[in-house]
């Protein structure tokens, strides 16, 4: 007589168990990724952010009224900013670079003009890709900001 094998020695029960088990493991993996990579771009106080945007718009209008215009040169590990328009500004300049999706890559620095009336920033690593660049006077009365697609050895105008 033909003796039947135990269920755990057959192929089909294991095949039917492994399919849902893979789905469960994948869902745990996705849950871990969702918890580990929280969205840092969400604001907790939208009203306060809206008021801040209105103040930013006033600063941007002020920069346009003053005719402020800057040239940004990106070369390897250095960013050079030179003024080409508006009233001569030699005070410290607040320069900030914001990455659109990765908050950890954002950086900013307060720089002063050198003898050539240029502001220089030494970079730890070269920057490339999409960036929001913000220049602001030390007295915080004007601001220039622009979204740029930065490439190495390139020139950009901020006005």
């Amino acid at each position: 007589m033909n003796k039947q094998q135990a269920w755990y020695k057959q192929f089909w029960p294991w095949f039917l168990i492994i399919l849902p088990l893979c789905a469960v493991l994948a869902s745990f993996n996705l849950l871990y990724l969702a918890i580990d990579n929280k969205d840092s771009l969400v604001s907790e106080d939208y009203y306060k952010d809206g008021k801040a945007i209105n103040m930013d718009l006033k600063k941007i209008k002020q920069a346009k009224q003053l005719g402020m215009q800057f040239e940004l040169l990106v070369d390897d590990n250095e960013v050079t900013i030179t003024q080409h328009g508006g009233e001569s500004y030699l005070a410290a300049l607040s320069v900030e670079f914001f990455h659109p999706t990765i908050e950890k890559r954002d950086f900013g620095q307060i720089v002063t003009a050198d003898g050539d009336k240029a502001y220089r920033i030494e970079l730890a690593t070269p920057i490339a890709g999409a960036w929001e660049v913000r220049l602001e006077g030390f007295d915080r009365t004007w601001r220039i900001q622009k979204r740029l697609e930065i490439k190495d050895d390139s020139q950009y105008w901020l006005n």
Side-chain angles (χ1 to χ4, degrees):
M1 202 164 208
N2 195 3
K3 189 174 180 185
Q4 210 171 21
Q5 288 181 328
W7 72 270
Y8 54 86
K9 292 183 180 180
Q10 295 181 16
F11 169 76
W12 288 109
W14 288 111
F15 179 75
L16 295 174
I17 290 171
I18 285 178
L19 287 177
L21 187 62
C22 288
V24 169
L25 291 175
S27 63
F28 278 122
N29 185 32
L30 287 175
L31 178 65
Y32 169 75
L33 289 174
I35 291 171
D36 191 43
N37 298 318
K38 293 180 183 174
D39 188 6
S40 61
L41 303 177
V42 176
S43 175
E44 292 192 20
D45 192 353
Y46 295 104
Y47 178 73
K48 202 179 272 187
D49 290 346
K51 288 175 72 176
I53 288 171
N54 289 338
M55 291 300 292
D56 291 347
L57 293 175
K58 288 179 185 176
K59 291 178 183 180
I60 292 169
K61 285 180 184 176
Q62 176 68 18
K64 287 186 181 185
Q65 286 176 351
L66 294 173
M68 301 300 254
Q69 184 174 8
F70 289 86
E71 174 189 27
L72 183 115
L73 292 170
V74 179
D75 186 26
D76 294 328
N77 290 354
E78 184 178 70
V79 174
T80 306
I81 301 168
T82 312
Q83 184 178 3
H84 287 279
E87 184 180 321
S88 181
Y89 186 82
L90 295 174
L93 192 64
S94 173
V95 182
E96 295 174 308
F97 287 80
F98 298 100
H99 195 274
T101 57
I102 306 170
E103 186 178 21
K104 293 175 188 173
R105 295 187 64 193
D106 296 353
F107 67 95
Q109 190 172 347
I110 295 179
V111 293
T112 55
D114 60 11
D116 297 333
K117 298 181 181 179
Y119 299 90
R120 298 182 197 284
I121 301 172
E122 295 292 328
L123 302 172
T125 58
I127 58 173
W131 288 90
E132 178 88 21
V133 180
R134 182 182 297 165
L135 302 179
E136 192 166 9
F138 188 71
D139 57 359
R140 306 271 188 224
T141 57
W142 59 269
R143 174 183 291 171
I144 297 173
Q145 65 184 34
K146 193 169 187 179
R147 185 170 293 245
L148 301 173
E149 188 67 35
I150 296 179
K151 297 177 182 125
D152 195 26
D153 298 328
S154 298
Q155 170 188 13
Y156 305 95
W157 288 98
L158 303 171
N159 51 1

